[in-house]
Amino acid sequence: MTDLSGALLNTNRRSNWIRLRTFIMLRWIAICGQIVALLVAQFGFGLELHYGLCYMAVGVSVTGNLIATFVFPENRLLTEKENMAMLLFDVLQLGFLLFLTGGLHNPFSFLVVAPVSIAASVMPLRSALFLGGLTIALVTVLLEFHIPLRTQNFFILRVPDVFLFGNWAAIVIALFFSSLYSRRVVSEMSSMGEALAATQMALAREQKLTDLGGVVAAAAHELGTPLATIKLTSAELMEELEDNPDLYEDAALIRQQADRCRDILRSMGRAGKDDLHLRKAPLSTVIEEAAEPHMGRGKEIIFDHFDLLDGPEILRRPEIIHGLRNLIQNAVDFAKNSVWVETECSTESVSVRILDDGPGYPPHLIGRIGDPFVRYRKSAKDVKKRPGYEGMGLGLFIAKTLLERSGAEISFANGYSTLGERSAETGPRGAVVEVIWPRAKVDAEMNASAIGKGDNPLHQS
């Protein structure tokens, strides 16, 4: 499988994915809310505040937004430093307004959580921690240092100390919880989206190879007739030119080159014919085809086909072949000496079990195997066992996704085979992967109409 660039799948790049237009829109919403709150406080409740300084703070936000709107293109993608500057300004501007309007006695003090949550979602961890720490320090300072809220009668509005401390604790807890929650959710969504994109790339690559083979097969078929004509004509010329050695050699050369073209097209078209026309194959053949690229890598691959005397012909699709190939590759990568591929068929299901004699899966990660970007073998010793690979944890995810797309259920475990007569002492004790399809999903006879039309029944499951 073609390796994907780590830069493409780097989650830190999310900080470069936010447009300036997004910040401008959000800031306009905040400005409108701040102006409405000040107007209600001034004319609705008659509170005595430093309205000049308050409107000045709001005016700074308005000025910044107008400059950003008219100087820079709205679709500009902000860098990490620019994103940090925008969020830092929002925190400081809101902190200044809270200082002028009662500090944590102001019920709107909880809004300081919003910029930190955004930072946790899109910024690198270092920047998010810096902004979160600064915000906690800011609300802590506002506990003691602020201009109190006063009514028209200069009565000071304040909450009891126990509620004031509760507000501070609630803000700090909300900062931690909302930041961790949003960062976790966005990271998982981003990782899953990137991994699914990688899966589609892998499947598209496999499909392109299949299509290319079909083109080669078609070209070989179409060129067969003119090459046969050239060969026949050259043979007749050789008979006519036996008395002219020079021309006879030219005719013989033409025939020789026609034979060479036939041989080249035959060798190129063999794989194409297999991919284009062989839409079904015996289960054992498909399994061995999936394992073929890894049979010369120094590990013995043993095939055990149980109950396949009357086994079915299954759909030979890129999803199945590529998914099984990834599972076999993973087993070969970490096996000590041997890999076992066991197949079994019944009237209800078709199953494939892949086992190796390697160290097996880490027990604490078995439940997460198949998740994208889970790297469960990182030691130098393991790297030596798998030279040439810089795994991103996508191989098993791609295999699991493709095979589940074909209707299979996949399970991962550690242990040894339970098929046949192999004992626990002689069987593999490493990783075990079991793939089970309902027979109706892969049996070629049950999908004969779809094969005849050239459709892919797997995409309809």
Side-chain angles (χ1 to χ4, degrees):
M1 190 184 100
T2 303
D3 192 15
L4 298 173
S5 172
L8 176 64
L9 303 178
N10 186 358
T11 54
N12 287 337
R13 287 171 58 90
R14 290 199 307 270
S15 60
N16 297 335
W17 293 352
I18 302 179
R19 289 186 175 89
L20 178 62
R21 175 173 51 194
T22 302
F23 272 115
I24 292 175
M25 179 186 66
L26 292 176
R27 187 168 289 170
W28 281 127
I29 295 174
I31 289 171
C32 291
Q34 291 169 1
I35 293 176
V36 170
L38 289 173
L39 291 175
V40 171
Q42 184 176 5
F43 298 105
F45 296 101
L47 299 180
E48 292 293 331
L49 301 175
H50 296 276
Y51 289 106
L53 293 176
C54 292
Y55 286 117
M56 182 192 72
V58 177
V60 172
S61 286
V62 173
T63 303
N65 251 18
L66 292 176
I67 293 175
T69 301
F70 293 106
V71 174
F72 302 102
E74 291 186 352
N75 60 351
R76 176 181 175 179
L77 294 177
L78 300 179
T79 65
E80 177 185 338
K81 292 183 179 179
E82 291 170 339
N83 282 326
M84 186 64 185
M86 297 285 279
L87 293 172
L88 184 60
F89 172 82
D90 290 337
V91 169
L92 294 177
Q93 189 259 1
L94 184 56
F96 181 64
L97 279 177
L98 290 176
F99 170 77
L100 297 173
T101 57
L104 298 191
H105 297 277
N106 188 330
F108 291 103
S109 58
F110 205 82
L111 293 176
V112 296
V113 174
V116 181
S117 297
I118 295 174
S121 301
V122 301
M123 301 293 291
L125 182 60
R126 179 182 57 186
S127 299
L129 288 176
F130 171 78
L131 192 64
L134 177 65
T135 305
I136 292 174
L138 184 63
V139 296
T140 303
V141 170
L142 290 174
L143 274 172
E144 296 293 336
F145 302 96
H146 56 267
I147 298 176
L149 292 171
R150 289 185 174 89
T151 63
Q152 289 178 337
N153 299 323
F154 296 98
F155 177 76
I156 296 178
L157 299 175
R158 57 177 298 147
V159 297
D161 290 342
V162 64
F163 286 100
L164 185 65
F165 176 77
N167 287 341
W168 176 86
I171 292 174
V172 173
I173 293 173
L175 285 172
F176 280 106
F177 177 78
S178 64
S179 300
L180 290 174
Y181 182 84
S182 59
R183 187 175 186 85
R184 180 70 176 177
V185 170
V186 172
S187 296
E188 288 195 1
M189 291 176 61
S190 178
S191 296
M192 187 62 67
E194 291 163 353
L196 289 174
T199 303
Q200 293 297 330
M201 290 171 63
L203 184 58
R205 175 180 176 274
E206 194 79 11
Q207 190 63 52
K208 286 181 179 179
L209 292 176
T210 300
D211 295 341
L212 181 60
V215 172
V216 172
H221 177 74
E222 295 296 330
L223 290 175
T225 300
L227 285 176
T229 303
I230 293 173
K231 182 178 179 180
L232 179 62
T233 304
S234 62
E236 294 178 352
L237 286 175
M238 290 172 63
E239 293 178 359
E240 295 292 335
L241 298 173
E242 289 182 352
D243 299 334
N244 192 332
D246 294 336
L247 295 178
Y248 180 86
E249 291 179 359
D250 292 340
L253 180 62
I254 292 175
R255 179 174 182 176
Q256 179 184 357
Q257 295 302 314
D259 288 338
R260 185 182 177 188
C261 289
R262 178 200 62 193
D263 294 338
I264 292 174
L265 288 172
R266 181 179 297 170
S267 63
M268 293 176 60
R270 186 176 295 112
K273 290 179 181 179
D274 290 342
D275 284 332
L276 182 64
H277 301 296
L278 190 58
R279 299 184 183 276
K280 60 181 181 178
L283 175 60
S284 59
T285 302
V286 174
I287 301 300
E288 292 171 8
E289 178 184 355
E292 183 179 0
H294 307 293
M295 297 183 68
R297 295 181 52 197
K299 308 292 175 62
E300 182 183 12
I301 300 181
I302 302 170
F303 298 95
D304 292 335
H305 303 303
F306 301 94
D307 300 330
L308 290 186
L309 295 178
D310 297 322
E313 289 189 326
I314 68 168
L315 299 170
R316 184 181 172 278
R317 298 298 182 186
E319 292 92 335
I320 295 178
I321 295 174
H322 196 80
L324 291 175
R325 183 169 295 164
N326 274 14
L327 294 179
I328 294 172
Q329 171 184 308
N330 191 75
V332 171
D333 287 343
F334 297 105
K336 294 180 180 177
N337 300 301
S338 304
V339 172
W340 289 261
V341 182
E342 304 174 342
T343 53
E344 189 174 27
C345 181
S346 67
T347 56
E348 300 295 331
S349 65
V350 174
S351 65
V352 177
R353 186 178 289 120
I354 301 169
L355 313 95
D356 64 66
D357 57 357
Y361 302 116
H364 65 285
L365 289 181
I366 285 183
R368 295 183 58 198
I369 293 175
D371 289 350
F373 306 106
V374 175
R375 304 180 185 178
Y376 53 89
R377 289 164 178 170
K378 290 185 176 180
S379 67
K381 182 178 178 181
D382 292 329
V383 171
K384 291 180 180 178
K385 292 181 180 179
R386 201 180 194 191
Y389 289 91
E390 296 180 1
M392 294 179 293
L394 283 176
L396 289 178
F397 171 80
I398 290 175
K400 186 172 182 288
T401 301
L402 292 178
L403 292 173
E404 286 179 345
R405 183 176 180 176
S406 70
E409 293 184 1
I410 305 177
S411 60
F412 301 90
N414 290 324
Y416 54 87
S417 171
T418 58
L419 295 180
E421 299 179 352
R422 185 180 294 125
S423 66
E425 289 76 16
T426 60
R429 294 177 177 272
V432 180
V433 184
E434 188 170 26
V435 185
I436 302 177
W437 289 273
R439 183 159 177 166
K441 293 286 186 179
V442 293
D443 195 315
E445 293 184 1
M446 298 181 181
N447 295 274
S449 60
I451 293 176
K453 296 177 182 179
D455 298 331
N456 189 346
L458 302 180
H459 293 288
Q460 302 169 3
S461 61

